[in-house]
Amino acid sequence: MSGENSSADDVQADDVQRVWDVVVVGAGPAGASAAYAAAVAGRRVLLLEKAELPRYKTCGGGIIGPSRDALPPGFELPFKDRVHAVTFSNNGRFTRTRRSKQMMFGLINRPEFDQQLVEHAQKAGAELRTGAAVQRVEQHGSAVPDRRTVAVVLQGGETLLAHAVVGADGSASRIGAHVGVKVDQVDLGLEAEIPVPETVAEDWKGRVLIDWGPMPGSYGWVFPKGDTLTVGVISARGEGAATKRYLEDFIARLGLAGFEPSISSGHLTRCRADDSPLSRGRVLVCGDAAGLLEPWTREGISFALRSGRLAGEWAVRIAEAHDAVDTRRQALNYAFAVKAGLGVEMSVGKRMLAAFERRPGLFHAALTGFRPAWRAFKEITQGRTTLGELIRSHPLAQRALTAFGPEPAAKGQPPAEDPADEEAVTS
């Protein structure tokens, strides 16, 4: 992009070393959305990604209504399937399928989806640099020429300068560590991409399976994507061996044990604590790097897209701030915007998870046999409402949530890693 919006100070700095308005770290949905939002505002944006694109990510790939609503204008979703039916089971029992005339949500492959988001950011003017692993960011010291600048230090020692930085580098975020992100819920997700014959694929077309699992708060899923089934499970960290057994048993129960997965992977998801910061100085965090995801389902794509867009918009304002007071004001505005929307949904999601952990059978019975519960599920996935709006507007839902899942007490930092978790993640 040209420097039409640059100040005289920026031009002088550029004579020594180029100073970007916004540097975004991480080119997943959150980072690409942030880069797009900042670039479309006419700013000089650099998007850094440590891997080469496209790259695989452990993810079911469900695109619900809020995700569709947060995409850039003109974005054509690369759906592999459109879901009109959900089969529910309770640890393999009491199986029932519910159907919808209208599509509830779509299924994508993350490498293709992420690549397309990055291309939209590039078309808006962002510059992409892959193979660039960030070691740290510095807001003080010899690498920082002035108080309006942040230094982004890459592995190998190269230093990039920016007036604002957005951390979107995933759940093990280096930028999140700099900001001081705190988490109070960590879960282990395991997933297998299983190529299947056409006859098997046809049986799953347009239908997903959700299985409420054997450990408190756990569940499994089958998402069809053409000739491949994405099969996964998730449960609280600390149950690594049991989670692996659940996935193995789940695959065997489905009759899929005879098919060789093309990819087997694992991933730790981290939900932010209520008092976790979203910024530090001129550095913002969004998506998984900020611990933003729905605590009950652990759905993260919609949270990444929405928080990424907000982070990009407020990074532009921070880049324009000329002193610490204005920088702080804009950072607080970003935090307010996140908490007012996504924070409310997370709060309700934590209560839903607490209720689900106590009474998974009740959730199963409601979704399979109580029409208002099924209707609410459809409306949430279609984007007609959110979990927060649903609880606020339906007294019956409020009473049920209070009765079966009292608001959980504040949690401390999660326990130390279970070695079985680490083995599962790296297998």
Side-chain angles (χ1 to χ4, degrees), residues 101-360:
K101 292 181 181 179
Q102 293 180 308
M103 184 184 84
M104 287 182 288
F105 57 97
L107 302 174
I108 52 91
N109 284 330
R110 276 290 301 275
E112 186 180 358
F113 177 70
D114 290 10
Q115 177 72 41
Q116 201 167 314
L117 282 171
V118 168
E119 289 171 359
H120 271 256
Q122 289 177 289
K123 289 175 184 175
E127 185 173 318
L128 172 68
R129 183 171 169 184
T130 58
V134 173
Q135 187 177 72
R136 66 185 185 277
V137 292
E138 296 180 6
Q139 301 195 64
H140 307 283
S142 59
V144 183
D146 57 59
R147 293 181 180 180
R148 289 192 58 221
T149 307
V150 181
V152 180
V153 182
L154 305 183
Q155 287 183 2
E158 182 184 354
T159 298
L160 306 170
L161 300 179
H163 291 310
V165 171
V166 175
D169 49 334
S171 63
S173 168
R174 289 182 181 271
I175 311 302
H178 172 81
V179 167
V181 171
K182 296 183 291 182
V183 298
D184 66 3
Q185 176 186 328
V186 183
D187 296 285
L188 171 65
L190 302 178
E191 196 168 73
E193 301 285 350
I194 305 178
V196 293
E198 186 178 346
T199 52
V200 176
E202 188 64 28
D203 183 55
W204 285 97
K205 188 174 181 181
R207 177 175 66 96
V208 303
L209 169 64
I210 297 177
D211 177 72
W212 314 119
M215 295 90 75
S218 67
Y219 76 97
W221 62 88
V222 179
F223 284 180
K225 298 169 185 175
D227 60 359
T228 298
L229 300 179
T230 298
V231 183
V233 300
I234 195 164
S235 66
R237 186 184 67 180
E239 298 283 350
T243 306
K244 287 204 287 186
R245 281 197 303 273
Y246 177 28
L247 179 61
E248 291 165 0
D249 294 345
F250 187 42
I251 290 173
R253 187 196 310 153
L254 294 166
L256 300 173
F259 303 115
E260 186 69 24
S262 58
I263 299 174
S264 295
S265 64
H267 180 63
L268 291 174
T269 64
R270 296 174 168 90
C271 277
R272 69 186 296 274
D274 289 340
D275 62 345
S276 179
L278 290 163
S279 67
R280 178 180 173 185
R282 290 178 172 267
V283 179
L284 306 177
V285 285
C286 60
D288 284 346
L292 292 167
L293 69 156
E294 201 284 296
W296 176 36
T297 63
R298 291 79 154 188
E299 189 278 322
I301 294 178
S302 75
F303 280 70
L305 292 169
R306 290 180 285 173
S307 65
R309 183 183 64 195
L310 291 172
E313 292 170 352
W314 258 275
V316 168
R317 295 176 173 90
I318 286 174
E320 295 170 345
H322 286 277
D323 55 43
V325 173
D326 193 22
T327 300
R328 180 64 177 157
R329 181 186 303 115
Q330 301 304 339
L332 288 172
N333 286 339
Y334 167 65
F336 178 80
V338 170
K339 292 175 183 178
L342 301 179
V344 171
E345 292 180 36
M346 290 188 71
S347 178
V348 175
K350 287 180 180 180
R351 297 182 66 189
M352 291 288 286
L353 177 62
F356 174 63
E357 287 174 339
R358 295 177 63 198
R359 302 290 294 274

